[in-house]
Structures are given as C-alpha cells and as structure tokens.
Amino acid sequence: MVRLVSANAASGRDRGRHDFAAWARHAAALDADVYAVQEVDHRLPRSGVEDQAAVLAGACQRPGETWTHRFAAAVLGTPGSRDTFAPATSADLGADGAAYGVALVTRHRVTRFHELRMDGSRVTIPMPLPPGAPQRVMWVPDEPRVALAAEVAAPSGTLTVVSTHLSFEPLRAGRQLREVTAWASGLPGPVVLLGDLNMPARVAAWLSGWAPLARHPTYPAEGPRVQLDHALRAPGHRLRVTSSRAEVVGGSDHLALVVDVALGG
C-alpha cells in the first residue's frame, strides 16, 4: 500500500501570518508515503526565507529514514504583482533563489524527476485579502504554472506521481489539464496526478479522461462544498484504492486529499 496526499499549503498562511512549520507538523501526522504540495514558497522573505519543501521533509523524517524532496518553481519572486514576480524556467532557480511553486516529498527512493512549465492566462484574477487590509480584494495577473513528476520506487512497486496547481481561470485551467495529462501519459506507469486543479471533480475527469481515485469536497476548509484537490489515475494503469478521505491540515483554506492505493490491484 502507498499513501498519497495532495495538499495546498497556502504557503503556510494561517489567519494572516505564515507558520509553515506548524502546517508541516500537521501534514506529517497524515503519515503519507508521497506528498504532492501546492502553493509552496522557496526562500521568500514573506515566509521567513524557508525552503518549505525541506521543512516538510524534516517534519516527516523519523530516525533511520531518509526523505527526498524536490521543489519546482512556477514563478521567481513573490506572486501577486507584475513588479515582484517573473516566469520561471528550469534553469532559473539556484539553491537560494526566491520562488513559488509546487513540491513533492517522499519517504521512498526517486529514480528520476521531470518538470513541465505551462503558460498562465492573460486575464487578471480577484484575490481575497485578509481582514484589516485596506481593500477586500486585489486584482492580480494569472501566474505561469508548473507540474513536477517523480518516478517513485516504493517497496510494493514503482509509480509516477505528479504534483501541479492549475490556473484560476477556467478555460486556461482546462487547457493546462489537457497539457499536463498528455505530458504525463508518456511517463512510466502507473501514473497518478495529484493537485489543486481549480475545477470540480466531474469537469476534471471529463476533460482529462483520467479516472478519479477519490471524491471528497476539499474547499473551503471550513465547510467544504466543492472538490478542487484531486487524485487522477492515467487510463490503462492498474491501481486499487483501499481508502480515501479529506483532512484539515493546519490553517490552509483547502483540505488535504488522502488516498491509499495498492499497486497492481
């Protein structure tokens, strides 16, 4: 059995402040084998210049274990303003580069990582601001997006896990989903796509042609009404779901999706 978790960490934000270490402790308590995490900061001043993927790996690690983590940048700098962020490329990010994107963290050996970068929309998007801000929403440009895949050598078999976070703009999100599933279909199977796809379950399954592994509302965390966070299996690949659920993790505005799968079942 392999436990997979898809979680939007919201950069560790909790009621207007950043505390990713607390979020990571809650996530580690889920005891997953692979975490696919979205809205991850890497060395950004707003969240204490932390490598948040490494913080989660450290929170999960127990004596005698070695956890692997990888961050993939979607943008360089702080997202939310044209003046403070720029699209990332795979060559842009150094060890101390300030960026924002997605991550994969696993207790198992990774034989290879892959990255796919996708263009954002040209539209601007309303972003709610925390209480006390001078305005209720701020209009921000859509961001480029990234997908990160890992070929994971679990004791029960090998699988490829993809983490991604798609656009808030529905048409662009649909195009990105088709782009990432076409790309991921060429990776060694079985392939599971985990992430905040910013679309309901039926739409994600219809657009992708991939099979949902779990159906649970995940957003908003307080009184979830819609599933935005998904686990999708590529067609023709054999996986058996043994259990699934959605869990509160720290102060994120999304619930985490937890899916236990048996390989080859």
Side-chain angles (χ1 to χ4, degrees):
M1 190 269 288
V2 177
R3 175 164 293 172
L4 306 172
V5 166
S6 179
N8 183 319
S11 305
R13 292 189 302 275
D14 184 359
R15 289 175 286 276
R17 63 188 181 90
H18 285 84
D19 189 351
F20 189 82
W23 184 91
R25 290 193 296 272
H26 283 96
L30 298 175
D31 195 27
D33 296 289
V34 184
Y35 293 86
V37 191
Q38 302 84 46
E39 294 197 19
V40 179
D41 285 1
H42 184 277
R43 305 297 185 190
L44 285 177
R46 70 177 183 182
S47 50
V49 202
E50 293 180 317
D51 178 348
Q52 291 187 339
V55 171
L56 176 57
C60 293
Q61 192 160 306
R62 298 172 181 172
E65 292 184 337
T66 301
W67 281 68
T68 299
H69 66 275
R70 177 67 66 94
F71 168 80
V75 299
L76 302 179
T78 303
S81 167
R82 295 187 191 276
D83 297 328
T84 59
F85 78 81
T89 72
S90 58
D92 280 330
L93 186 67
D96 297 321
Y100 170 84
V102 303
L104 285 166
V105 178
T106 178
R107 70 170 83 240
H108 301 311
R109 182 173 60 90
V110 175
T111 57
R112 190 176 180 186
F113 285 102
H114 309 264
E115 293 184 11
L116 171 71
R117 284 181 166 73
M118 298 170 283
D119 292 335
S121 170
R122 295 183 179 180
V123 304
T124 56
I125 298 168
M127 182 177 70
L129 295 177
Q135 59 196 72
R136 296 184 63 180
V137 298
M138 177 174 64
W139 289 84
V140 299
D142 189 25
E143 304 150 9
R145 303 289 167 160
V146 64
L148 173 65
E151 298 175 30
V152 178
S156 56
T158 299
L159 76 162
T160 297
V161 180
V162 183
S163 175
T164 196
H165 183 195
L166 302 185
S167 174
F168 290 100
E169 197 274 302
L171 292 178
R172 178 62 66 179
R175 294 188 188 100
Q176 290 170 343
L177 179 59
R178 287 176 168 163
E179 185 177 356
V180 72
T181 51
W183 168 76
S185 294
L187 300 176
V191 181
V192 177
L193 172 64
L194 301 174
D196 176 358
L197 305 184
N198 273 315
M199 64 183 72
R202 288 184 181 180
V203 176
W206 175 67
L207 286 175
S208 67
W210 288 33
L213 298 179
R215 288 189 182 273
H216 304 281
T218 62
Y219 185 85
E222 296 182 3
R225 298 184 299 274
V226 62
Q227 182 174 359
L228 298 182
D229 305 85
H230 301 277
L232 302 176
R233 173 184 55 79
H237 294 175
R238 293 172 61 83
L239 286 173
R240 178 170 55 88
V241 177
T242 59
S243 68
S244 67
R245 64 188 191 274
E247 292 275 358
V248 173
V249 180
S252 174
D253 55 344
H254 290 244
L255 300 183
L257 192 65
V258 184
V259 184
D260 294 335
V261 298
L263 302 182

